[in-house]
Every structure is written in structure tokens, then in C-alpha cells.
């Protein structure tokens, strides 16, 4: 027999952990702040561990709370989505808009894990770099990289993007890259949609006088990444997009995290629409995959790859 904790308490805890507020959780579940607090207390007593602590009047998950939230949130999404699929299986479709290279290099390689978890949900991926526009109802989720959450949207962060130089290891054999000035012996690879330019990277390191041997510009980031893997030069790109190539030794980070710029990736939804079970399930999956990717990026950077 399964030993299952009180499901009402799990539901209250998941809402409080996701919203980081007993009050907001109560509003979502149409109960009082005190009712959420009581249900969380019941769950903590049942488990024998504390799930929350208050630090400077802020609600913070304990390590046990984080583990329970990750599993319970995904489980509740699966239950809700399964129920929706059973009752309306032929009409469940989710349209996700995302940048082309992000879709090709990160989203698609991981997408099978979401499909196996939600076999009855149809997801259509469309690519775009355009500003978010929900007025035409063309998509349910818009994934975009940005310094801050885009407007107009309700946004959920799921991935940190660290933009730094990468190149083929063979480039370092003839002319090592030990300091920014060594770029004078190398070709820089650029692309028209880059969020972080080489001149900004050099300025960040007080090396604005450094001039590369040559510069090659491409229209899309994807072509720049391919050129870097072919050994044509050094590219300034999001680290998470090349994490598999770094791990396999096809690319390296000659300067480590020197001069790195960080942005964030957000899953953005229309703020005027109500919560959508399929949409929330997909975003929860993005958050899960994002945490795994960031952990691997940190690990490889710490190893000096």
C-alpha cells in the first residue's frame, strides 16, 4: 500500500512554494492564509521535517521543502493534465514560440522527456525572434532571452544564459588565448542578432584597443556556432547552447568566465488569460530542464573546460 501524505496539504504546500506566499496560495485556492498555514503544518508534522523557514520576513524553502516541491509540482501537473486529456483528448494543443537556435540546440534535444511524460498532449514549436505579441493568439508560450522579464507578459524564469567566448581547441595550438590581447592573432565570429557584442566584451575588460586579425559576420547564431566548431575563429555565444560540444571536446572556453555577461530565459504567457494546465506543465518541465542545464554548466566551468 502506498504511503501517501494528505493530498490537500500537498496541494496547499505546492501553491505556497510556487508563489512564495501563504496569502497568494490562499487566493489561488480560494481559502484563507490561515488555512494554507494549517495544511502546511499538517504536512510538516506528517513528514517530520520543516518545509519552510522565514528569513527577514521572507518565506524560504528548506532543502527538504525544495525536494518535495520539485516532485509534487510535477506530479500535480501530470495528474491535472491526465484528467484534461481524458475529458478532452482531441483538443489539447500547446503552441510554443522560441528563438530558432535555442529551439534547435537546446529545446529539441530535450523535448523527448516531455513527450514521454505527456503522451496525449500535442505541442507545436514555432520559431521567432520577434517581440512578444499575444494579441493575435498565435502561441500559448513565448520563450525569450532577456536582461529582465519582457513586457507585456507574465514571465517565469527557467534558465540563466552566460555569454562567453568559445572556440575549437586546435586554435590554441598555434596562438594561445591567455589574455584578451591575444585576440589580435585570431578571427572573431559575429552574427547579426547577437545580444552581446565583441566590442562590449572587450570594453568590459578595458581592452578596447585590441583589434582582431579578422572578423567574419553571419546572419544567424547557428551559422556562427558551426563556424566555431570548424575552427574558423572565436565566437561569443550562450554557454548552455554549446554545453554538449564543450563536454565532448569539440569546443573550449579559452578565457573561462572572463568578461561573461548573463541574461535569463523566460517562459512568457499572456497576462490576461487564466491558468492553463498544459501550459503550466510545459513551463514546469522547462524549469526542471533549466536547473539541470545550469548545474552542468557550472560543473564544466569549474573544471576549466
Amino acid at each position: 500500500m502506498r504511503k501517501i501524505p494528505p493530498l490537500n496539504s500537498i496541494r496547499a504546500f505546492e501553491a505556497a512554494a510556487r508563489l512564495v506566499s501563504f496569502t497568494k496560495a490562499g487566493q489561488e485556492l480560494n481559502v484563507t492564509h490561515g488555512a494554507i498555514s494549517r495544511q502546511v503544518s499538517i504536512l510538516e508534522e506528517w513528514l517530520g521535517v520543516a518545509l519552510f523557514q522565514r528569513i527577514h520576513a521572507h518565506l524560504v524553502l528548506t532543502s527538504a521543502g525544495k525536494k518535495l516541491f520539485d516532485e509534487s509540482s510535477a506530479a500535480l501537473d501530470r495528474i491535472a493534465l491526465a484528467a484534461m486529456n481524458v475529458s478532452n483528448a482531441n483538443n489539447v494543443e500547446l503552441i510554443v514560440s522560441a528563438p530558432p537556435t535555442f529551439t534547435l540546440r537546446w529545446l529539441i534535444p530535450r523535448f523527448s522527456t516531455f513527450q514521454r511524460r505527456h503522451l496525449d498532449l500535442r505541442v507545436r514549436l514555432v520559431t521567432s525572434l520577434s517581440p512578444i505579441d499575444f494579441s493575435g493568439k498565435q502561441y500559448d508560450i513565448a520563450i525569450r532571452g532577456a536582461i529582465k522579464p519582457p513586457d507585456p507578459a507574465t514571465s517565469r524564469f527557467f534558465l540563466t544564459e552566460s555569454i562567453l567566448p568559445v572556440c575549437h581547441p586546435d586554435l590554441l595550438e598555434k596562438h594561445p588565448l591567455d589574455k584578451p590581447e591575444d585576440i589580435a592573432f585570431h578571427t572573431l565570429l559575429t552574427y547579426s542578432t547577437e545580444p552581446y557584442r565583441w566590442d562590449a566584451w572587450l570594453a568590459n575588460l578595458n581592452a578596447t584597443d585590441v583589434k582582431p586579425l579578422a572578423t567574419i559576420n553571419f546572419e544567424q547564431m547557428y551559422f556562427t556556432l558551426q563556424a566555431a566548431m570548424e575552427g574558423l575563429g572565436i565566437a561569443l555565444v550562450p554557454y548552455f547552447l554549446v554545453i554538449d560540444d564543450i563536454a565532448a571536446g569539440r569546443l573550449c572556453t579559452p578565457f573561462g568566465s572572463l568578461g561573461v555577461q548573463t541574461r535569463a530565459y523566460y517562459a512568457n504567457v499572456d497576462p490576461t488569460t487564466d491558468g492553463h494546465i498544459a501550459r503550466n506543465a510545459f513551463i514546469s518541465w522547462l524549469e526542471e530542464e533549466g536547473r539541470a542545464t545550469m548545474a552542468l554548466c557550472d560543473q564544466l566551468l569549474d573544471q576549466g573546460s
Side-chain angles (χ1 to χ4, degrees), residues 55-99:
I55 300 178
H56 303 303
H58 293 291
L59 198 63
V60 178
L61 284 167
T62 64
S63 58
K66 290 177 183 177
K67 292 178 182 178
L68 183 61
F69 171 68
D70 289 343
E71 295 296 333
S72 62
S73 184
L76 289 174
D77 281 340
R78 287 195 293 272
I79 292 170
L81 187 57
M84 182 179 67
N85 288 335
V86 168
S87 63
N88 197 17
N90 294 324
N91 294 312
V92 182
E93 182 179 59
L94 191 69
I95 303 174
V96 179
S97 169

Side-chain angles (χ1 to χ4, degrees), residues 2-13:
R2 293 187 180 96
K3 188 180 180 182
I4 300 176
L7 294 182
N8 281 341
S9 296
I10 286 287
R11 192 179 179 208
F13 160 75

